[in-house]
Amino acid sequence: THPYPAQAGNPTYNLSMKTLVIVESPTKAKTISKFLGRNFIVKSSFGHVRDLPKSKLGVDVEHNFEPHYIVSRDKTKIAKELKEAAKKSDAILFATDEDREGEAISWHLANILGIEPKEVKRIVFHEITKHAIMHAMENPRHLDLKMVDAQQARRVLDRLVGYELSPFLWRKVAKGLSAGRVQSVAVRLVVEREREITAFKPEEYWSLEGFFQTQKKETFQTKLYTIKDKKLDKMDVKNKEQADKILKDLDGANYKVENVEQKKTKRLPSPPFTTSTLQQEANNHLGFSAKQTMRLAQQLYEGAELGSEGSVGLITYMRTDSVNLSEKFLGEAKEVINKEFGSNYTLPKIRSYHNKSKNAQEAHEAIRPTDASITPESIKEHLERNLYKLYNLIWRRAMATQMAAAELNATVIDVASDNAYKFRANGQTISFDGFLKLYPDKAKENILPELAKDEKVDCQELKPEQHFTEPPARYSDATLVKALEAHGIGRPSTYAPTIATIEDRGYVERDDKKKLKPKDIAYLVNDLLVEHFPHVVDLQFTAEMENSLDEIAHGKKEWQPVISAFYGPFKENLEKKEKEISKKELTEEKTDQICEKCNSSMIIKTGRFGKFMACSNYPECKNTKSLDPDEEKAQEAAQASNEKCEKCGEPMILRHGRFGQFLGCSGYPKCKNIKGIDIKMNLKCPKCGTGDIVQRRSKKRGKPFYGCNRYPECDFAMWEKPTGEFCPECKQPLVFAPKDVIKCSNKECAYKKESAITPEESSA
């Protein structure tokens, strides 16, 4: 099942030679070393050793886009060590990851070590196990230069967009901004979703539930389904008046069972994980971000310490779009399932899955455990908590694919009134849990009473319910990955870095549900790109470019013509827009307010960190005001503090960063002391009784939280914004919760009520 079996033309290799094996990760090197003898030295390159320079474009656009690679300053020591190790070895094997990035790393390393690409001996494997490593050692191959070209094309393309469009944004919008071929499309999706939410107008609709009792005094719940044989759509009952009319029609009605339908159904398990589905499920079930999921998966792939066994690679390669499973794993899985659950949970023949993506690499495998017999519970004590959670998810999903289908009994009961209203109840029981025993989904039992056709039932209650349509939800990591994949944008290796980039660059932030919310600057930059650089952020164009990169990897296209076809029109348009677009028109809005310092008019400006009010007489007058009520309070607090720097004695002054206002030493850059600004919440600390609750921001993400100002003497803190009132039941602070609800901050107290104002309005 190895993707690169021995073929005519592949390089030969003598296992008895003194050999240097180069990988890109020290953890991977440690795990691989266990399987090799004394003739082998395994070294890590710590990722890319050679890349485009950071200080300049590094691409010769006049000479067929020739890239200029350099060994980065922080990698010179590693490059030197690898050269010295290579001189002492009889042979060199490159064992970097089996995707385009890994192929390019090997190509760069060969160049550094002075090895002709055609002479390179390359080994690849999907899992870091003895079986896979030894098979790879016996079957080396040449470098796949088509994959190298595809990686070069992506690198050059992204460099051209990033290094030419980003400075344009600095000049026309604000310094420090960035643009990217995939990241800008991701920002567009987030911005457009937020605008859908803002423009959404909720519509009222009603449903009617009926509660009935059988002759045996068993109750069951139904929902109004048809009126005079017309099936009710969700929005058919639009208001209370219509709901009341139905209740009036049914007043005094008699009911009987019109129909009972029972059928057996089967439910099949989902395919094993690909990169995108793993990121989606880990986000939905475990709350992990895409970046966090890939970091943990990398650790599981490269090797986790399992006590006396040492470092063990626990999963196969985690950047894949294939749903294939090896015959070796399928055999192991059947044995484990039979042993753990019994023969009735095994399959008579293997269950296979097929890729939906036309560009999926069928030679690769899905993400699965390297050994089916290594159950999550057997290694739980050796794994950090989140590593265990992710391994548990991967193991169960892969094993479930080879378990018997779940068998369900579905029941539909229709109850009709004597004046042509029909109510329906849906129920199901699980007659055989099958794969659900290992990987439960939303299949919950809803048991209905045994009823016969024409049996009379009594109506206990008719309950009308008012509803309102809800706007589409903000993107989570899971739904944004799904959207990118659906549009054909990016590939398995790019989803997580793309989301991390748009967050790190300040285009999006997380709301209280960890969903992605665009910042002010995202709207401005997105609208600028959509209007003036439509190709850069066009979903279809970006997907077509991904297809071109795939065709380069398959040898169907040369990479330089693909870059040339994009760059010529892009550069011409960039030069044109440089002359046409005015920064002032983009970033400034007039207001009717007057500056209290110089009597000039105030304007609203959009900078890298969002919108703020500033004097139009800048730079003569540098008066600014925040549009955020909380930051305005911070500004007032800062101005009133007259605080001195505790490190050098210079005055502390108000500064503005990506996470809002803070105090910084006026002696900067000699003194870099900074300090957060406490915003009082008009609430005494419920823990110590003497301190005040103030708003602060977390160091890592800048997320607001609320804690006692006597910290570290008092460590009381909470994430939700307090209302300033206390719970009438347990006397703990009340806080603002989602969907306009006020609840008790004490998790053991169930008190909640509807809020008349939002947290933002409370600030104002």
Side-chain angles (χ1 to χ4, degrees):
T1 61
H2 197 273
Y4 300 103
Q7 296 174 357
N10 273 3
T12 57
Y13 169 68
N14 186 342
L15 287 169
S16 64
M17 292 191 293
K18 188 174 181 181
T19 303
L20 171 65
V21 180
I22 304 178
V23 298
E24 67 277 69
S25 155
T27 306
K28 188 175 175 181
K30 184 179 180 182
T31 308
I32 288 175
S33 296
K34 293 194 332 179
F35 309 124
L36 303 177
R38 286 178 295 178
N39 290 334
F40 294 87
I41 301 171
V42 185
K43 291 278 188 181
S44 168
S45 70
F46 292 82
H48 273 285
V49 173
R50 200 173 72 140
D51 199 1
L52 297 173
K54 290 183 178 180
S55 59
K56 56 184 179 179
L57 184 63
V59 178
D60 191 343
V61 296
E62 301 295 331
H63 296 89
N64 212 16
F65 303 98
E66 189 68 30
H68 172 59
Y69 296 112
I70 63 166
V71 175
S72 54
R73 190 175 298 175
D74 60 332
K75 293 294 181 75
T76 52
K77 184 180 178 182
I78 294 167
K80 184 180 179 182
E81 289 175 357
L82 291 174
K83 287 178 182 178
E84 289 173 355
K87 289 177 184 177
K88 299 174 184 177
S89 304
D90 300 320
I92 301 173
L93 289 178
F94 295 92
T96 51
D97 288 343
E98 54 163 336
D99 53 13
R100 296 174 195 172
E101 200 74 21
E103 207 72 18
I105 290 174
S106 287
W107 180 73
H108 284 298
L109 286 168
N111 183 282
I112 289 169
L113 299 178
I115 304 171
E116 284 294 320
K118 292 181 180 179
E119 302 299 319
V120 167
K121 294 181 177 67
R122 172 89 162 98
I123 61 171
V124 290
F125 37 84
H126 296 136
E127 58 188 65
I128 305 178
T129 60
K130 186 172 184 179
H131 169 82
I133 299 301
M134 298 317 296
H135 188 101
M137 288 287 191
E138 293 164 5
N139 297 279
R141 65 166 174 86
H142 292 296
L143 264 179
D144 188 333
L145 295 177
K146 298 188 294 295
M147 288 179 69
V148 174
D149 284 346
Q151 192 276 340
Q152 281 201 102
R154 179 184 288 279
R155 190 76 186 92
V156 168
L157 187 62
D158 290 345
R159 174 56 66 100
L160 291 173
V161 173
Y163 271 51
E164 298 221 356
L165 196 51
S166 296
F168 174 83
L169 293 178
W170 301 351
R171 293 188 293 271
K172 301 300 180 182
V173 182
K175 287 185 178 179
L177 292 175
S178 72
R181 189 178 54 85
V182 176
Q183 78 169 57
S184 296
V185 176
V187 170
R188 179 178 184 175
L189 288 172
V190 175
V191 166
E192 289 182 349
R193 174 59 59 86
E194 193 70 20
R195 282 182 167 148
E196 285 180 55
I197 295 169
T198 304
F200 182 82
K201 294 181 180 179
E203 292 183 55
E204 181 184 8
Y205 68 98
W206 288 68
S207 63
L208 185 65
E209 293 182 341
F211 297 84
F212 294 93
Q213 189 177 70
T214 69
Q215 303 302 311
K216 296 179 182 179
K217 306 300 181 185
E218 297 171 297
T219 59
F220 62 101
Q221 185 176 341
T222 66
K223 197 168 187 176
L224 184 60
Y225 183 65
T226 65
I227 301 176
K228 296 185 176 12
D229 294 327
K230 180 185 179 297
K231 183 181 175 182
L232 278 181
D233 289 330
K234 176 181 173 180
M235 304 297 294
D236 278 354
V237 183
K238 299 183 182 299
N239 50 50
K240 187 175 186 300
E241 289 72 23
Q242 291 180 0
D244 287 342
K245 182 182 182 305
I246 293 171
L247 290 175
K248 186 177 179 182
D249 288 350
L250 291 171
D251 188 23
N254 296 311
Y255 299 88
K256 68 176 183 179
V257 177
E258 183 179 86
N259 186 49
V260 177
E261 185 180 335
Q262 292 182 321
K263 61 180 179 180
K264 293 184 181 293
T265 61
K266 286 189 174 183
R267 181 166 300 182
L268 297 173
S270 299
F273 284 132
T274 61
T275 303
S276 72
T277 55
L278 174 63
Q279 290 174 1
Q280 291 171 49
E281 286 290 282
N283 186 240
N284 291 330
H285 290 278
L286 306 176
F288 294 168
S289 68
K291 181 180 180 181
Q292 183 182 13
T293 298
M294 295 310 290
R295 177 177 57 79
L296 294 168
Q298 185 91 32
Q299 290 177 251
L300 292 172
Y301 166 69
E302 292 180 346
E305 291 291 334
L306 300 184
S308 59
E309 290 187 57
S311 184
V312 177
L314 291 174
I315 65 168
T316 52
Y317 192 53
M318 63 286 153
R319 293 186 184 91
T320 177
D321 49 15
S322 172
V323 290
N324 290 342
L325 291 170
S326 71
E327 290 180 14
K328 172 181 170 291
F329 174 78
L330 294 171
E332 292 173 354
K334 187 168 185 175
E335 286 182 20
V336 173
I337 292 166
N338 186 48
K339 179 183 175 183
E340 296 288 331
F341 306 106
S343 59
N344 56 330
Y345 284 89
T346 62
L347 296 172
K349 64 177 184 177
I350 65 169
R351 183 186 288 120
S352 57
Y353 296 86
H354 300 285
N355 285 94
K356 294 179 181 178
S357 170
K358 64 180 180 180
N359 292 311
Q361 301 177 63
E362 298 293 344
H364 293 183
E365 271 199 82
I367 303 169
R368 61 158 177 87
T370 55
D371 185 343
S373 66
I374 303 178
T375 64
E377 290 304 314
S378 70
I379 57 174
K380 186 175 183 178
E381 63 178 314
H382 300 296
L383 297 181
E384 180 267 325
R385 186 173 60 129
N386 286 342
L387 273 179
Y388 164 76
K389 285 182 178 180
L390 191 64
Y391 180 70
N392 186 45
L393 188 71
I394 293 168
W395 187 86
R396 289 176 182 275
R397 175 74 165 240
M399 297 294 287
T401 65
Q402 300 309 306
M403 293 180 74
E407 296 175 8
L408 310 174
N409 293 322
T411 304
V412 177
I413 297 175
D414 288 336
V415 175
S417 70
D418 54 12
N419 57 347
Y421 285 83
K422 188 191 294 183
F423 291 79
R424 174 164 287 187
N426 291 287
Q428 72 175 13
T429 58
I430 301 173
S431 58
F432 175 63
D433 53 4
F435 78 92
L436 294 175
K437 192 175 191 74
L438 190 61
Y439 200 84
D441 63 7
K442 296 178 182 178
K444 293 182 180 179
E445 290 200 327
N446 177 30
I447 302 173
L448 295 175
E450 293 282 339
L451 287 166
K453 187 179 179 183
D454 296 328
E455 183 177 335
K456 290 185 179 180
V457 291
D458 295 324
C459 181
Q460 299 292 297
E461 182 186 6
L462 294 177
K463 187 178 179 182
E465 289 278 352
Q466 183 188 36
H467 310 276
F468 291 93
T469 55
E470 294 189 355
R474 284 176 178 149
Y475 282 112
S476 63
D477 284 53
T479 54
L480 185 54
V481 166
K482 189 174 182 179
L484 290 169
E485 185 180 37
H487 287 295
I489 295 165
R491 289 296 179 262
S493 61
T494 64
Y495 302 133
T498 297
I499 296 173
T501 297
I502 64 174
E503 189 175 5
D504 293 341
R505 299 290 167 84
Y507 285 115
V508 301
E509 59 187 345
R510 304 275 178 174
D511 65 13
D512 55 359
K513 295 181 181 178
K514 297 185 179 179
K515 300 289 183 69
L516 299 167
K517 177 185 177 184
K519 295 185 177 181
D520 289 338
I521 196 66
Y523 291 99
L524 178 56
V525 171
N526 176 70
D527 292 349
L528 172 64
L529 296 179
V530 168
E531 182 179 353
H532 299 287
F533 300 90
H535 267 31
V536 173
V537 288
D538 181 73
L539 274 66
Q540 185 176 349
F541 178 81
T542 307
E544 288 171 357
M545 185 60 74
E546 292 290 354
N547 290 333
S548 293
L549 294 173
D550 289 336
E551 289 179 329
I552 294 168
H554 298 144
K556 296 177 182 178
K557 285 185 177 180
E558 295 294 323
W559 74 268
Q560 286 97 339
V562 171
I563 303 298
S564 180
F566 167 81
Y567 184 71
F570 169 75
K571 182 66 174 178
E572 183 182 343
N573 186 48
L574 188 66
E575 292 172 349
K576 178 184 174 188
K577 297 302 177 182
E578 184 72 53
K579 299 172 184 176
E580 291 180 357
I581 296 174
S582 161
K583 179 176 181 178
K584 203 166 195 176
E585 291 176 5
L586 279 176
T587 62
E588 295 183 7
E589 302 172 37
K590 292 181 179 180
T591 74
D592 55 3
Q593 293 197 34
I594 301 299
C595 174
E596 64 270 22
K597 293 186 177 180
C598 71
N599 291 325
S600 300
S601 59
M602 297 290 282
I603 54 175
I604 295 175
K605 300 186 76 171
T606 303
R608 184 183 173 193
F609 302 115
K611 291 187 175 183
F612 62 97
M613 195 172 288
C615 181
S616 59
N617 194 27
Y618 180 86
E620 283 73 18
C621 177
K622 297 180 180 178
N623 185 25
T624 62
K625 288 184 177 182
S626 173
L627 297 174
D628 183 333
D630 283 344
E631 289 191 11
E632 192 62 36
K633 289 180 183 178
Q635 193 165 2
E636 291 170 5
Q639 290 169 346
S641 69
N642 295 319
E643 195 166 338
K644 299 285 186 181
C645 175
E646 64 266 28
K647 291 186 177 180
C648 69
E650 292 294 320
M652 297 290 279
I653 58 174
L654 188 71
R655 296 190 184 277
H656 195 286
R658 68 180 285 192
F659 298 130
Q661 307 274 9
F662 64 94
L663 290 175
C665 180
S666 58
Y668 180 87
K670 289 182 180 179
C671 178
K672 297 179 180 179
N673 185 30
I674 61 171
K675 190 175 181 181
I677 300 171
D678 293 343
I679 304 172
K680 287 190 177 182
M681 304 309 297
N682 298 319
L683 183 71
K684 284 290 181 184
C685 176
K687 186 171 183 178
C688 69
T690 56
D692 292 311
I693 297 299
V694 296
Q695 177 185 307
R696 293 191 172 124
R697 290 187 180 269
S698 63
K699 290 182 178 179
K700 187 173 182 181
R701 292 282 184 193
K703 182 179 177 182
F705 72 96
Y706 306 89
C708 182
N709 65 352
R710 293 183 62 246
Y711 180 84
E713 286 80 10
C714 176
D715 62 358
F716 177 82
M718 57 187 177
W719 288 111
E720 296 94 347
K721 185 172 184 175
T723 67
E725 300 176 340
F726 290 92
C727 175
E729 296 180 7
C730 71
K731 309 305 178 187
Q732 290 299 306
L734 293 176
V735 295
F736 291 102
K739 296 187 177 180
D740 298 332
V741 169
I742 287 174
K743 68 173 185 178
C744 181
S745 59
N746 180 5
K747 292 181 179 179
E748 297 177 1
C749 178
Y751 177 80
K752 64 172 60 176
K753 66 176 182 177
E754 287 190 4
S755 171
I757 59 171
T758 65
E760 291 75 17
E761 290 171 332
S762 75
S763 298

